[in-house]
Amino acid sequence: MAVYALTGFSLVSLLSFGYLSWDWMKPGLVADVAMDPMEKSLPPAFTRPPHIIFILTDDQGYHDVGYHGSDIQTPTLDRLAAEGVKLENYYIQPICTPSRSQLITGRYQIHTGLQHSIIRPRQPNCLPLDQVTLPQKLQEAGYSTHMVGKWHLGFYKKECLPTRRGFDTFLGSLTGNVDYYTYDNCDGPGVCGYDLHEGEKVAWDQSGKYSTFLYAQRVSKILASHSPKEPLFIYVAFQAVHTPLQSPKEYIYRYRSMGNVARRKYAAMVTCMDEAVKNITWALKKYGYYDNSVIVFSTDNGGQTFSGGSNWPLRGRKGTYWEGGVRGIGFVHSPLIKRKRRTSWALVHITDWYPTLVSLARGNLSNVRGLDGYNVWPAISEGKESPRTEILHNIDPLYNHAKYGSLEDGFGIWNTAVQASIRVGEWKLLTGDPGYSDWIPPQTLTNFPGSWWNLERLTDGLRKSVWLFNITADPYERYDLSEQRPEVVRALLMRLVYYNRTAIPVRYPAENPRAHPDFNGGAWGPWASEDDVEEWEGGGEPLKSRNKKKKCKICKLRSFFRKLNTRLMSNRI
């Protein structure tokens, strides 16, 4: 009864605040708020632009931090969050590339052409070069900018590399996942290469060093060599805790009582990452940055439950549009926050960091058009109301269409077979196939009790393509209200129609065999020639048909290397 009472109240709230009286086909308030010159100004307490440390973890589940009730030890994150502002209404994207692209551009992925899947190693694709990135705006504001960790925004040509997109220095991997020690990455059987780069060169000499430690050490080195009098931006994109599940043995030993092996290794990786954050925080204090610093912590997507992660009690997992896939761990820690030691329920999305951080840096946003993010610093620091009232989680026209979706089910205005999700106020709508929909408790036992497992999977067999939830009253998405509230469903569908009209074409090119590390000295890296780039970007034949013609060239190249290798071996003999 309590849930439905709140649901009725929330509909009244929508009506009273004007959500259902909006012209749903008009643009939202995003651009207006992001461009507000008054919100660009820094609080009086700021005597100079703050140092900004943005920490992004990979595949860390919503439940997998101490202050969310986890049995995984994260004392550093717990302390930093407790002394700062916990963001408990914070949203990210369900997979890697989309979250990173939206952080770096401040735009929804429908506005960068990256609305489908991730950028794969062999695709001639990267973050659009016409986008002015967050580090580029910070450079304009006088910041020294550095990136450490996972890029995953494309690298097929040099112009796509981090050092060409606004970072003064870079140490990390270009692809989506690598071995934590050897830095090898295989994109299919026999398609393997080394992926650790220092600037634009392959960092062969760093092989063997555990990446979490390596990245924290690099941050400390940057802090030691820079002057705290000059503004600094460091983007720390940990590989942890993405697969493969690897950790130093001493951390695994702490969790030896965990029956589930994947969970045990995963927990060790989380604790190891927590200690790396501790070392970074210590370095900020040691070298004189801390008092004028802002530390932002964020996950990139939900946890992968079959790899040890947990999003409990949220529904779903990484790769889905259920809350377990898109609600993230987030907090801000800074001596500059006016109202510290509290939990914020202000609605915040990963796109908001772009205008928020540029504003803190006293950067110029007046020449940046089309941002989907808002400046949420007043909401974070002072507890003011968030300027954000809605989030487009995504519209993916290429994802497998739902079997039971139709235009008819979408009131004739939206094909509900298309995978899409949006939140407006307290309401969240999903259409198409949102992804794996179970509620999965932490995997601390070797096997789950069968009755519990079956109970939590009752919704899997339903023939549906539309779901509606009151997320404020029902954050675990257990009560679908789509049939009881058709007027709300229609209203949110209209917002999807509006956003879809602003979307640019999906950029998801076919893989090219020339990207194989064998043709790049055994490492992943830029592989496209200037002629290739001009041909692809100049139009002409579809990528798939062009790739067929390229294969013969690859075959000739392979034949050449085989003959060369044979001759060299003959000479050695």
Side-chain angles (χ1 to χ4, degrees):
M1 290 297 294
V3 169
Y4 286 98
L6 281 170
T7 302
F9 173 78
S10 63
L11 179 58
V12 173
S13 301
L14 278 175
L15 292 168
S16 63
F17 284 104
Y19 287 115
L20 298 183
S21 63
W22 287 355
D23 181 347
W24 291 79
M25 296 306 295
K26 289 184 177 179
L29 302 177
V30 175
D32 295 335
V33 176
M35 293 300 112
D36 186 351
M38 293 302 293
E39 291 192 354
K40 275 200 328 177
S41 60
L42 286 167
F46 287 69
T47 57
R48 61 184 186 275
H51 307 294
I52 301 169
I53 312 298
F54 196 102
I55 300 173
L56 187 71
T57 59
D58 200 342
D59 286 9
Q60 184 179 359
Y62 178 82
H63 181 72
D64 299 328
V65 65
Y67 67 85
H68 279 174
S70 177
D71 55 351
I72 297 177
Q73 300 167 22
T74 58
T76 303
L77 300 185
D78 296 345
R79 184 180 68 256
L80 292 176
E83 295 173 355
V85 177
K86 300 174 185 175
L87 305 177
E88 291 301 328
N89 206 4
Y90 175 57
Y91 286 86
I92 48 185
Q93 295 306 113
I95 49 178
C96 301
T97 296
S99 281
R100 294 160 203 276
S101 70
Q102 296 192 51
L103 166 66
I104 294 294
T105 67
R107 290 170 170 80
Y108 292 141
Q109 58 204 88
I110 65 164
H111 295 147
T112 60
L114 299 174
Q115 55 267 57
H116 179 67
S117 191
I118 60 174
I119 296 177
R120 302 193 179 279
R122 288 178 282 173
Q123 284 182 313
N125 196 14
C126 72
L127 189 72
L129 299 179
D130 61 350
Q131 298 287 329
V132 179
T133 66
L134 171 60
Q136 286 173 333
K137 294 303 296 182
L138 294 176
Q139 281 181 333
E140 290 178 8
Y143 274 68
S144 175
T145 59
H146 306 270
M147 180 180 172
V148 180
K150 173 178 169 178
W151 176 238
H152 207 187
L153 290 174
F155 58 87
Y156 77 102
K157 58 180 179 178
K158 288 187 176 181
E159 288 77 12
C160 301
L161 297 176
T163 48
R164 307 288 180 101
R165 304 311 307 271
F167 290 104
D168 296 326
T169 69
F170 169 67
L171 173 67
S173 60
L174 299 174
T175 60
N177 66 295
V178 300
D179 185 283
Y180 281 74
Y181 292 96
T182 67
Y183 300 97
D184 290 329
N185 176 29
C186 293
D187 187 39
V191 188
C192 302
Y194 185 82
D195 183 17
L196 183 65
H197 293 75
E198 173 88 53
E200 298 183 7
K201 296 182 179 180
V202 181
W204 298 105
D205 59 318
Q206 301 294 341
S207 179
K209 300 177 182 178
Y210 188 67
S211 72
T212 304
F213 293 155
L214 177 66
Y215 294 155
Q217 290 166 2
R218 174 50 59 96
V219 174
S220 295
K221 184 176 180 180
I222 292 170
L223 294 172
S225 61
H226 189 77
S227 170
K229 296 180 180 179
E230 301 297 328
L232 180 69
F233 171 59
I234 305 179
Y235 171 36
V236 189
F238 281 114
Q239 174 187 353
V241 289
H242 196 291
T243 53
L245 299 179
Q246 297 172 304
S247 172
K249 291 182 179 179
E250 60 267 28
Y251 292 91
I252 298 177
Y253 185 76
R254 301 184 191 185
Y255 297 100
R256 60 192 179 279
S257 61
M258 282 189 176
N260 185 290
V261 175
R263 181 71 175 168
R264 186 190 312 158
K265 293 180 178 179
Y266 173 92
M269 295 166 70
V270 174
T271 297
C272 185
M273 177 272 296
D274 180 85
E275 291 196 8
V277 174
K278 176 183 178 181
N279 292 338
I280 291 172
T281 307
W282 179 83
L284 286 170
K285 295 179 178 180
K286 176 182 179 180
Y287 297 115
Y289 296 87
Y290 177 78
D291 290 340
N292 189 42
S293 68
V294 174
I295 301 173
V296 180
F297 181 90
S298 170
T299 50
D300 70 335
N301 46 246
Q304 186 59 276
T305 51
F306 57 74
S307 298
S310 175
N311 305 302
W312 182 261
L314 303 179
R315 186 178 186 177
R317 65 187 185 196
K318 173 185 178 178
T320 76
Y321 289 94
W322 304 107
E323 291 292 282
V326 297
R327 183 171 286 204
I329 300 172
F331 64 80
V332 180
H333 177 95
S334 173
L336 306 174
I337 293 175
K338 290 185 176 180
R339 293 183 57 195
K340 305 179 183 67
R341 300 179 180 276
R342 64 185 182 86
T343 297
S344 170
W345 294 95
L347 188 61
V348 178
H349 184 248
I350 195 166
T351 54
D352 297 331
W353 297 120
Y354 186 112
T356 300
L357 299 182
V358 173
S359 297
L360 284 176
R362 300 179 183 175
N364 181 16
L365 287 171
S366 63
N367 59 351
V368 181
R369 301 298 175 187
L371 287 180
D372 293 307
Y374 295 80
N375 180 1
V376 292
W377 184 254
I380 293 171
S381 178
E382 303 172 46
K384 293 184 177 180
E385 185 177 352
S386 173
R388 178 176 287 281
T389 56
E390 68 181 46
I391 296 172
L392 176 68
H393 293 301
N394 195 26
I395 300 170
D396 186 348
L398 298 189
Y399 194 81
N400 297 332
H401 283 200
K403 183 177 180 180
Y404 301 103
S406 68
L407 190 62
E408 181 181 358
D409 289 342
F411 298 94
I413 60 174
W414 183 262
N415 183 358
T416 62
V418 175
Q419 186 191 63
S421 182
I422 190 170
R423 173 172 171 172
V424 178
E426 297 172 332
W427 296 100
K428 177 182 177 182
L429 180 78
L430 304 98
T431 70
D433 179 4
Y436 190 85
S437 62
D438 289 351
W439 295 268
I440 304 175
Q443 300 175 350
T444 53
L445 302 177
T446 305
N447 296 300
F448 292 109
S451 58
W452 174 269
W453 183 251
N454 292 332
L455 173 66
E456 298 299 80
R457 301 192 68 177
L458 288 177
T459 58
D460 270 9
L462 297 180
R463 300 182 177 184
K464 290 181 61 63
S465 63
V466 179
W467 293 261
L468 178 71
F469 301 97
N470 183 313
I471 290 299
T472 303
D474 179 25
Y476 312 140
E477 297 170 300
R478 292 182 177 270
Y479 303 96
D480 175 20
L481 302 174
S482 57
E483 294 184 5
Q484 292 95 318
R485 297 288 185 258
E487 71 279 17
V488 180
V489 171
R490 182 182 175 88
L492 269 63
L493 288 175
M494 289 294 288
R495 287 306 286 164
L496 286 178
V497 171
Y498 160 70
Y499 278 114
N500 199 44
R501 289 180 176 176
T502 70
I504 67 173
V506 179
R507 172 71 179 173
Y508 196 73
E511 295 181 344
N512 193 303
R514 292 180 60 186
H516 198 301
D518 284 356
F519 305 121
N520 192 35
W524 292 101
W527 49 270
S529 68
E530 293 184 5
D531 291 339
D532 291 330
V533 173
E534 289 178 5
E535 181 183 355
W536 296 331
E537 297 182 352
E541 300 175 69
L543 275 168
K544 289 184 179 179
S545 64
R546 291 204 302 272
N547 285 342
K548 290 179 181 178
K549 295 182 179 180
K550 297 282 185 183
K551 286 183 180 178
C552 63
K553 296 181 181 180
I554 296 300
C555 294
K556 292 178 181 178
L557 195 58
R558 285 175 176 166
S559 178
F560 169 77
F561 278 115
R562 287 195 192 101
K563 292 178 181 178
L564 180 62
N565 185 58
T566 301
R567 290 179 182 176
L568 290 173
M569 292 300 293
S570 298
N571 291 336
R572 287 180 183 177
I573 293 171

